Amino acid sequence: MIIGKYGDVFMVDFSRKLKNKQKEIETNPIAIYESLDRQTEKVGPLRRSQKRVFNDWYEHRLSDKDIILKLNTGAGKTLVGLLMLESRRRLRKEDNYGIEVFLCNDSNLIGQTIKQAKLFGIEPTQINNSNEIPDEVINGEKILVTSVQKVFNGKSIFQRADSPEVDTMVIDDAHASAEIIKQSSTLTIEKSIDTQLYTDIFNLVSEGIRQQGEGRFEDLTNYNEKSGTDQPFLPVPYWTWIDKSDAITKLISQRAESSSNIKFVWPLIRDMLPLCNCIVSSKSIEVTPIKYPIDFYTTFTNAHQRIFMSATTASDSVLVNDLDINKKAVEHPLFDPEEKWSGEKMVILPSVISDNLNRSYIVQFFGSTLSSKFGITVITPGYYRTHDWEKYGSIIGNPDSLTPKLSEFSRGTFNQPLVLVNRYDGIDLPDNQTRILIIDSLPNSSSLYDKYIDSMIPGGSETILRKAQKIEQGMGRSVRADTDYSVILLIGSDLIKFVRNPKNQKYFSAQTLQQIQLGIDISKDAHNETLSSNENVEDLDSAKKALSELIFQSLGRNSNWKEYYQEQMGMIDYSPNSNDSLPMIVAKSQIIKKATDRLSDLKKLENTIQSFVDEYVTTDEEAGWYFQLLAHIMYFRSLKTSAKKFQTVAYRRNMHLLLPQNVNLVKKIDSKIATKRIENIINQIRSYQTFENFFNVVEDISNNLSFGTRREIFESNMDELGKILGFGTDRPDEYYKKGPDNLWAVKDNLYFVIEDKSEVQESRKKIHKTETGQMNNSIAWFQDNYANSQFQALLVIPTLYTDEAGGFNADVKIMRKGSLRKLSRNIIAFAKEFEHLDFNSLSTSQVLEFINNNQLQVDTFVNNYSEKSK
């Protein structure tokens, strides 16, 4: 274009020179990419994997309702999604039929995605300042890029009467997005924000939750945030929740519009409150629907095509439940059959190299490491696992410190390790930003409801699947491209047990499982090398040297390691394998739909649940969960007698579930234990099958018998310890909602009545009145249920001194930090006695000798591991 002297515009009219004046709109995504005005110095041609995916989609999958797109990390999924939308936009342009939407799972990624799109020559847009969908999107001229949160909320602009239809919706990082969508349906009433509403609802349901655990109810009402431990929680029994639902609905409705926490969720669940589960903690009340109301989002459910982008390592079957996608999309994902693994991961299990390289040592060694060449990142399941990292100098990624620390990493400044708390996805730290990644302990759930499920059915198939998925997501934080590499240390006895359990390994992707198996093998090799060079395998210096040399083989880019890794990873079949969990999850999804359908036939629902349990459920704990669901629905439909019957069935299957009303189900421990103790020990040890399994359990117990450990973990480990010691054990507070945390039958007609206060800070000076009261109540419960039996009361707490307002009604001994340490050391030493023995040939005299050698006799137990209160 040339501007003349008097402002006239002169330009060549190339349209006259065109031989074919009839322009065709290009809709093939590969051809579209070639025609775009790309910034070629920053972006290159399409990759082969992208072209293969485009060809399959364009030629065979355009009419599919749901598509799961699986590509390796760093393979350009964002570009693929954008080009698919651009292709669909051009295909629909003439009819102006539906809009094209790309959803990011974080609002901060909207600008980043638009910027990336422009590099490729695509010009998308976003929601305007008036919170409206721009006309150019509605008119079919541009793609819309927005966030998952913008679409999935109770006041979404996409749900207005005049909202345009959606032709295609692409959801980036589908698994992380699914969690966000589930959260959007969960009503959370924060005590610090909606104080009056929290108090009013708490008062309405308090009697019901007290009946589900008197000890935990006291912990909940007396919780101190400064303790640094997770907040205690209790479920509201469904009968209490349903009976009070009218009053609760009125309370929430009156405050809905004035609370930002409530107003975006309330429209989703206000008409289905009785079909919700409610969990109460000391800080919040969580209300979660039995079935997430995906049907509310008609723009999503009615979209002509929905494309879910997923990592190759992720198990997509859970999306059937979470987002109600078609199971065929899971069975037939869109992927490149020739695409292999992405990047290089050297997985190491330090505790396999040597017992000395346990979690405590790794935290101390790496937590205090000052690195200037690369970043060290740690992922913990919760803040309760960060205290020792912080003590040794690591930076804890809380809301105030995370952003500046990530900025330092991106600039190449690496001073201290960064600890991410429950951030298994959403934060990418490629290349030098993280060369050493440490996954510390088994992932936990974040919502109260998911924590409740974990505590009720810890061995449930879907619970295991989601934990495996989190581990895989976490392992992907440090390797973000084909050329990237990282060392990944797995620490924490619970995590090690999980990844080494064949039952759990089937839930990992083939790629991740191979990396874990390689990690186990090379860790064993390092152990053997240490053993051959130094007969004392317990020597810390030798173990540390073995670990350091193994790490250096990756970071030093050892050619033999790289070749070995490529050889082993190349042996995997990368085609999508048959998903063993998919039929079960599809069947479960159907149960949930029938349960929440107010017109469903209850007899058919009962038969469906029974058939599901018979075919898919392998444990009583999980079976009980489904019978409790049936009881909930029975009660909601006013069949209270049937509800009580099925709740009793559920509780007998799983004593962690809701205790039925007006039923005494206490099952007393056999008081005759003395002659059976050695036999019990032998049977318990044999149940672990191998010494390695046995020692992992004992090491787990040793690590968790300490202050700062979450209550439920401490109590379950005390129960397991009692079994290993040959005692009869029970958890009355957990199972009967009254009584002590742990009860051990240690000798004929002699019991240890144990209250655990593991979450009390070690600096505490006094035993509070509420705690002495709990101990007294536990003693009273024991005397009521075990009349004429002898007992010794034990309180696990860091201090000997009761405050002036409290006191004990019987002789109570205190187990403090020193006592727990001594017990932990002795149980470890006891376990090591069995290292070279055949579990099938254990003798009574051997076991008795081991008990005596390690100070585990009943008669001296109290003197060895407790002190008098003062």
Side-chain angles (χ1 to χ4, degrees), residues 320-470:
V320 173
N321 258 350
D322 295 348
L323 299 180
D324 198 22
I325 71 169
N326 193 304
K327 73 170 184 174
K328 290 182 180 179
V330 179
E331 294 170 328
H332 305 288
L334 187 61
F335 73 106
D336 173 15
E338 296 184 21
E339 188 179 40
K340 306 300 182 183
W341 72 95
S342 177
E344 176 192 301
K345 299 172 185 174
M346 177 186 272
V347 177
I348 302 175
L349 287 67
S351 60
V352 172
I353 298 174
S354 169
D355 296 340
N356 283 315
L357 300 180
N358 55 26
R359 179 186 177 276
S360 298
Y361 174 77
I362 296 298
V363 172
Q364 180 180 355
F365 181 77
F366 285 96
S368 57
T369 299
L370 301 179
S371 172
S372 58
K373 295 181 180 179
F374 54 77
I376 298 174
T377 302
V378 182
I379 305 179
T380 68
Y383 281 103
Y384 70 93
R385 272 292 189 225
T386 65
H387 305 310
D388 44 3
W389 286 104
E390 189 171 26
K391 180 174 72 175
Y392 292 115
S394 299
I395 294 295
I396 310 304
N398 57 43
D400 295 328
S401 62
L402 181 57
T403 300
K405 192 62 182 177
L406 290 175
S407 297
E408 285 183 18
F409 270 32
S410 65
R411 294 194 305 268
T413 302
F414 312 112
N415 295 323
Q416 304 145 295
L418 170 64
V419 180
L420 303 176
V421 182
N422 200 22
R423 296 297 296 268
Y424 296 90
D425 57 27
I427 296 180
D428 298 339
L429 296 163
D431 302 317
N432 277 347
Q433 291 186 46
T434 295
R435 290 297 184 203
I436 296 179
L437 173 68
I438 301 173
I439 310 291
D440 178 4
S441 304
L442 192 63
N444 288 328
S445 299
S446 51
S447 73
L448 290 178
Y449 180 66
D450 286 343
K451 287 180 180 179
Y452 173 60
I453 292 178
D454 282 357
S455 64
M456 296 301 103
I457 42 174
S461 51
E462 192 168 349
T463 299
I464 295 172
L465 175 60
R466 292 184 186 276
K467 286 185 184 296
Q469 187 171 298
K470 278 196 172 186

Side-chain angles (χ1 to χ4, degrees), residues 763-779:
S763 58
R764 172 91 82 77
K765 301 298 182 185
K766 296 279 188 174
I767 303 171
H768 293 168
K769 178 182 178 181
T770 55
E771 292 159 345
T772 57
Q774 280 181 259
M775 187 78 254
N776 291 334
N777 289 338
S778 294
I779 292 169

Side-chain angles (χ1 to χ4, degrees), residues 570-604:
M571 295 167 61
I572 308 171
D573 178 7
Y574 285 92
S575 59
N577 52 3
S578 59
N579 194 316
D580 292 338
S581 62
L582 181 59
M584 180 273 293
I585 288 179
V586 170
K588 176 187 173 181
S589 179
Q590 293 303 312
I591 286 175
I592 298 299
K593 287 178 180 178
K594 288 181 180 179
T596 52
D597 179 357
R598 302 182 188 215
L599 299 178
S600 65
D601 184 297
L602 289 182
K603 188 61 181 177
K604 288 183 179 179

Side-chain angles (χ1 to χ4, degrees), residues 462-527:
E462 192 168 349
T463 299
I464 295 172
L465 175 60
R466 292 184 186 276
K467 286 185 184 296
Q469 187 171 298
K470 278 196 172 186
I471 293 168
E472 293 198 85
Q473 289 173 329
M475 289 173 60
R477 294 308 92 207
S478 58
V479 177
R480 306 303 299 170
D482 289 344
T483 57
D484 204 355
Y485 61 93
S486 172
V487 172
I488 300 174
L489 304 182
L490 305 182
I491 67 171
S493 51
D494 56 348
L495 176 59
I496 302 305
K497 278 198 304 181
F498 185 91
V499 300
R500 300 194 69 179
N501 187 336
K503 175 187 173 184
N504 301 334
Q505 288 179 344
K506 67 181 181 180
Y507 293 99
F508 289 107
S509 67
Q511 183 180 147
T512 299
L513 181 57
Q514 181 76 334
Q515 289 161 347
I516 290 172
Q517 294 287 18
L518 287 177
I520 294 170
D521 290 343
I522 64 175
S523 299
K524 285 182 177 178
D525 290 341
H527 167 84

